Amino acid sequence: MSSEIAYTVLVLLVGLERVAELVVSKRNEAWSMARGGREFGARHYPPMVVLHTGLLAGALIEVWVRRPHVDAWFAVLMVLVLLASQGLRWWCITTLGHRWNTRVVIVPGLAPVTAGPYRFFSHPNYVAVVAEGIALPLVHAAWITAVAFTVLNAWLLTVRVRCENAALAQLPSPASVPVTSP
């Protein structure tokens, strides 16, 4: 099997993982909306979808058009970074539970989550996104895609984090909310 075919399989697997995320996201969004959830920053969501779809498509196009050489040790290193980013992403998803989705939806009365990776920093999922955006293309030396995604994603994350922080500021502090199960 050529390295391009193996890489295509990897990108397709990441694409399938994205579909699984969207299924979870839709279910969780419905849960939040049923409890009075309110969406913030809906205007930046379509560009985010385009950017993340472009990451997958751009990496494949670049690899098949340029056919870059990649050293095996570097590909393995990037696969390990990719796997770590997926692990962090799913740690975030499981920690947030029903509250996680791909949009910014806040349920009034629920305090911000401070468990799991959120104990360490405010937006751990975006660490996973940044790592994946660099590692996935570089598994097969698609550096143009890695740079383009990273630059565009930096702009988008600036907008997204500002939006999330403003939305989260409307929630009560964790200490003021009684502990109950969802």
Side-chain angles (χ1 to χ4, degrees), residues 13-157:
L13 289 171
V14 171
L16 287 173
E17 191 274 335
R18 287 294 168 277
V19 171
E21 281 183 25
L22 289 174
V23 169
V24 171
S25 175
K26 280 293 185 191
R27 183 182 65 225
N28 291 346
E29 182 182 348
W31 181 91
S32 292
M33 293 305 194
R35 285 155 181 79
R38 180 171 159 227
E39 182 176 2
F40 294 80
R43 287 185 16 195
H44 74 259
Y45 189 74
M48 188 175 79
V49 170
V50 169
L51 180 62
H52 284 258
T53 303
L55 171 66
L56 302 177
L60 285 177
I61 291 167
E62 182 176 354
V63 164
W64 282 98
V65 170
R66 285 187 49 243
R67 296 194 181 258
H69 168 76
V70 61
D71 291 323
W73 70 268
F74 189 74
V76 168
L77 176 63
M78 291 299 104
V79 166
L80 292 174
V81 171
L82 179 64
L83 291 173
S85 73
Q86 296 305 314
L88 177 57
R89 178 189 321 279
W90 281 97
W91 189 18
C92 293
I93 291 170
T94 57
T95 299
L96 290 175
H98 291 296
R99 295 166 66 176
W100 179 87
N101 69 72
T102 58
R103 296 178 177 270
V104 179
V105 178
I106 299 298
V107 178
L110 295 181
V113 172
T114 57
Y118 298 90
R119 284 186 309 235
F120 307 111
F121 42 100
S122 301
H123 301 282
N125 189 62
Y126 300 136
V127 173
V129 169
V130 169
E132 178 189 67
I134 294 168
L136 180 62
L138 291 183
V139 166
H140 205 292
W143 64 269
I144 296 169
T145 302
V147 169
F149 178 84
T150 299
V151 168
L152 292 170
N153 191 50
W155 166 78
L156 184 59
L157 283 180

Side-chain angles (χ1 to χ4, degrees), residues 1-9 60 63-64 66-68 140:
M1 175 182 335
S2 75
S3 64
E4 292 86 4
I5 291 173
Y7 183 69
T8 299
V9 169
L60 285 177
V63 164
W64 282 98
R66 285 187 49 243
R67 296 194 181 258
H140 205 292

